[in-house]
Amino acid sequence: MSGRLRLVIFDVDGTLVDSQHDILAAMHEGFAAVGEVAPARETILGIVGLSLDVAVARLAPHLPEAARREIVEGYKSAYMKLRAGQAVATSSPFYPQARETLDALRAVPELLLGVATGKSARGLTKLLEGHALDGYFVTRQVADHHPSKPHPAMLHAALAETGVAPQDAVMVGDTSYDMEMARAAGIAGIGVTWGYHRADALDGAARLVDDFGQLAAALMDDWGMWR
């Protein structure tokens, strides 16, 4: 690998961890708080990755803003209760080979790891602590500080914080929002097919991978890693 720095930015939900159980349960509770029935599972998973307020607005465009705010607060409360009731490894388990791949990437001196997620800072911190990932990600971009995906602000901030050029970075994610965000930031997008959006929705990806082993191989091909 050449001496210049490279940056791999990961989405979280649907990419590194499978948190759909808690997401679905919390959304159902949020809608129940305003006397509404939550949308279908596929519809809810289709908005994962968006900032919560934007996601709820898409799920409930027929409701007044005050009701949508109540759903958001109900979701947050329910999600934290669910998370408190069980270990992170149970509520948001790693996808197969995710941890091993992160460990291998972290061991490459010229390679930096980052996160760009629709989670809040508090939610991301709890997840990283629960999976013992403190110190893995040198840049952590969350919904609290940026417009929702697919706006490229998160990626612009990640590049600015690390000093890495767009051509030396990739965004790894499972949704069309991730791929659109990457394209808007001038970064290559690698779409993963095990997440919450169908593979045919990731048409903006530079390439698709079906497991973490393929992701490692793709980075090796592109950047000559571990050679």
Side-chain angles (χ1 to χ4, degrees):
M1 185 173 176
S2 68
R4 69 179 187 270
L5 289 177
R6 315 274 190 162
L7 174 64
V8 182
I9 307 164
F10 288 95
D11 170 56
V12 176
D13 297 309
T15 300
L16 291 176
V17 299
D18 186 4
S19 48
Q20 64 175 292
H21 179 270
D22 284 356
I23 291 171
L24 292 168
M27 195 63 77
H28 277 266
E29 289 202 30
F31 272 81
V34 297
E36 292 280 324
V37 176
R41 171 183 178 277
E42 293 77 12
T43 303
I44 294 174
L45 292 181
I47 54 79
V48 174
L50 298 175
S51 298
L52 187 54
D53 57 339
V54 175
V56 170
R58 290 200 182 185
L59 293 174
H62 60 291
L63 294 179
E65 184 177 348
R68 294 200 297 266
R69 285 198 299 268
E70 191 171 345
I71 292 173
V72 168
E73 293 307 313
Y75 176 98
K76 290 179 179 178
S77 176
Y79 196 91
M80 295 308 293
K81 287 178 183 177
L82 289 164
R83 177 61 57 78
Q86 55 188 326
V88 168
T90 300
S91 65
S92 298
F94 277 126
Y95 284 103
Q97 302 180 67
R99 179 58 182 257
E100 294 83 353
T101 301
L102 290 176
D103 287 341
L105 296 176
R106 189 186 184 207
V108 179
E110 300 91 348
L111 189 63
L112 305 176
L113 302 182
V115 164
T117 177
K119 284 183 173 299
S120 67
R122 179 176 67 170
L124 178 61
T125 297
K126 292 291 185 184
L127 181 85
L128 298 182
E129 289 175 349
H131 278 298
L133 290 175
D134 290 334
Y136 272 63
F137 302 104
V138 300
T139 179
R140 292 160 49 170
Q141 306 304 325
V142 295
D144 308 59
H145 308 138
H146 299 288
S148 177
K149 298 177 183 180
H151 192 285
M154 290 187 187
L155 298 187
H156 287 158
L159 295 174
E161 286 184 4
T162 58
V164 174
Q167 64 268 25
D168 291 327
V170 296
M171 173 70 204
V172 182
D174 69 305
T175 70
S176 59
Y177 315 126
D178 296 314
M179 300 303 101
E180 292 168 20
M181 178 175 66
R183 186 168 58 248
I187 292 175
I190 297 179
V192 306
T193 62
W194 56 79
Y196 302 149
H197 280 196
R198 292 165 52 97
D200 58 13
L202 307 178
D203 56 1
R207 68 170 76 203
L208 298 178
V209 295
D210 297 324
D211 58 51
F212 272 96
Q214 288 186 6
L215 173 62
L219 293 174
M220 181 182 293
D221 287 345
D222 291 345
W223 290 343
M225 291 171 53
W226 306 304
R227 289 180 180 170

